[in-house]
Amino acid sequence: MAPPLARTTLDRAAHHRRDAAWLASAWERGLVLVVDVAKGGRALVTEQPGGGAALVLVPATDAPAGERLFLGLDLDGTPLFTVDAPLPTGRAARAVTLREIGHRLDDRDAGIFTAAAALGNWHATHVYSPRSGQPTTVIEGGWSRVDPEGRQMWPRTDPAMIVLIHDGVAGPAGRCLLGHNSAWPDGPDGMRRFSCLAGYVEPGESAEAAVAREVAEEVGIRLSSVRYEASQSWPYPGSLMLGFSAVADRDQELTLDPEEIDEAHWFSRRDITQMIAGNYIEPQSGIAMSLPMRSSIAFYLVERWMGDFPR
């Protein structure tokens, strides 16, 4: 099982990106995903039987004006593009973000929306060159921008780590450590969200070293082992989340960095089962607690840990 936003069937067909004639012809027969980057990266979806959702892709002739960003080819060879523009109106569809809907899309649509969101976010923030301050234009089907002096830049992805810390104990007695970020407000119903620890990989640092550093900084404990699990794009605006699991002695004293983590607890598998069901109340505080959205790699790591041992 792959993380929700690591799923894709998209053929990126990079060999076509510099072929202007091919791109022009592909546009005429292609399908377009409209993403409104200014409104949080929203796109239109329709509800599907069985609880799924499907992206609304429009023929190029119906697409709004905007830069044509070539995503790649569909399984049947149909060219796929994205345009950053206000969403079309008058359709039996609703506007959603990738966070909200990613886990409910099939592999095809998950790959399309993830690529479109990441590419659109990069273009929206690189209208001017960070080196010269000059305006830039789109080239190579949307996979590069160039300033008037010919200096190119390409979409960047920032590596970040996220780790599910657990005690290595099998069965219901096993526990994992989750924290509440100081910047997260409680939900309107008082629900408080807890998640895995995460942070950016710093220059000159390996992902594994970043895991150990971030954990020490945020909750003040040492890890006895670290294991890579999986990765997925997290285009908010342009991260690659590298997912890990790690084992730690839960008898260590937690020392929280209040600017990052204002609360952290060891949760049992039984606790997590209740959190997934939406009915977990922390016994001492009486506060309702929940997990991150299902499209996140944090939720994936928690689910993976839940399945590691019999409950």
Side-chain angles (χ1 to χ4, degrees):
M1 180 179 69
L5 305 187
R7 299 172 296 126
T8 187
T9 62
L10 184 67
D11 175 3
R12 297 196 172 207
H15 57 288
H16 287 308
R17 293 174 184 171
R18 296 184 180 181
D19 189 337
W22 185 91
L23 289 170
S25 173
W27 173 262
E28 297 301 322
R29 65 180 189 277
L31 293 175
V32 181
L33 176 66
V34 182
V35 177
D36 192 341
V37 174
K39 294 290 182 65
R42 295 182 180 276
L44 294 178
V45 300
T46 57
E47 298 297 324
Q48 300 294 300
L55 293 175
V56 175
L57 300 175
V58 300
T61 53
D62 296 339
E67 297 288 358
R68 303 171 182 180
L69 309 180
F70 174 61
L71 299 177
L73 301 176
D74 208 345
L75 287 172
D76 62 1
T78 301
L80 299 172
F81 292 81
T82 184
V83 169
D84 174 11
L87 299 180
T89 58
R91 295 176 178 270
R94 64 188 184 98
V96 294
T97 66
L98 185 61
R99 290 177 190 261
E100 298 171 83
I101 208 70
H103 62 288
R104 294 180 54 205
L105 299 174
D106 64 15
D107 293 358
R108 168 187 179 265
D109 283 2
I112 292 172
F113 199 173
T114 303
L119 202 55
N121 284 337
W122 180 77
H123 280 283
T125 56
H126 287 77
V127 175
Y128 297 93
S129 169
R131 289 180 292 185
S132 67
Q134 295 178 303
T136 59
T137 55
V138 175
I139 59 173
E140 297 184 8
W143 291 92
S144 182
R145 297 185 74 99
V146 63
D147 69 16
E149 297 179 9
R151 288 177 292 199
Q152 284 184 252
M153 53 186 176
W154 293 266
R156 61 174 293 165
T157 297
D158 298 318
M161 50 64 52
I162 185 165
V163 59
L164 188 284
I165 304 165
H166 62 93
D167 59 5
V169 175
R175 293 178 179 267
C176 68
L177 178 65
L178 302 177
H180 176 266
N181 191 291
S182 303
W184 294 342
D186 290 347
D189 55 358
M191 189 80 73
R192 185 168 298 170
R193 174 162 44 106
F194 281 75
S195 186
C196 304
L197 303 184
Y200 283 102
V201 180
E202 295 185 344
E205 184 178 49
S206 71
E208 291 81 0
V211 170
R213 174 183 55 77
E214 287 284 351
V215 170
E217 289 175 355
E218 293 187 355
V219 295
I221 65 172
R222 298 181 306 277
L223 304 175
S224 57
S225 66
V226 176
R227 184 177 73 181
Y228 173 75
E229 298 288 352
S231 66
Q232 75 170 21
S233 174
W234 194 241
Y236 294 99
S239 296
L240 175 66
M241 299 297 295
L242 306 170
F244 293 84
S245 61
V247 177
D249 182 353
R250 76 176 191 227
D251 290 332
Q252 295 180 78
E253 181 180 356
L254 298 178
T255 304
L256 308 185
D257 175 2
E259 292 187 1
E260 295 285 342
I261 303 295
D262 60 10
E263 192 174 352
H265 300 281
W266 289 93
F267 295 95
S268 70
R269 284 188 172 83
R270 187 171 291 109
D271 296 336
I272 297 296
T273 298
Q274 291 179 317
M275 291 171 84
I276 292 173
N279 57 13
Y280 177 74
I281 306 294
E282 204 278 322
Q284 294 184 344
S285 66
I287 294 174
M289 297 180 177
S290 65
L291 294 175
M293 66 287 294
R294 289 177 178 266
S295 61
S296 68
I297 194 171
F299 193 92
Y300 168 86
L301 292 172
V302 171
E303 276 197 315
R304 191 173 178 88
W305 171 74
M306 288 287 285
D308 274 350
F309 304 102
R311 300 181 203 174

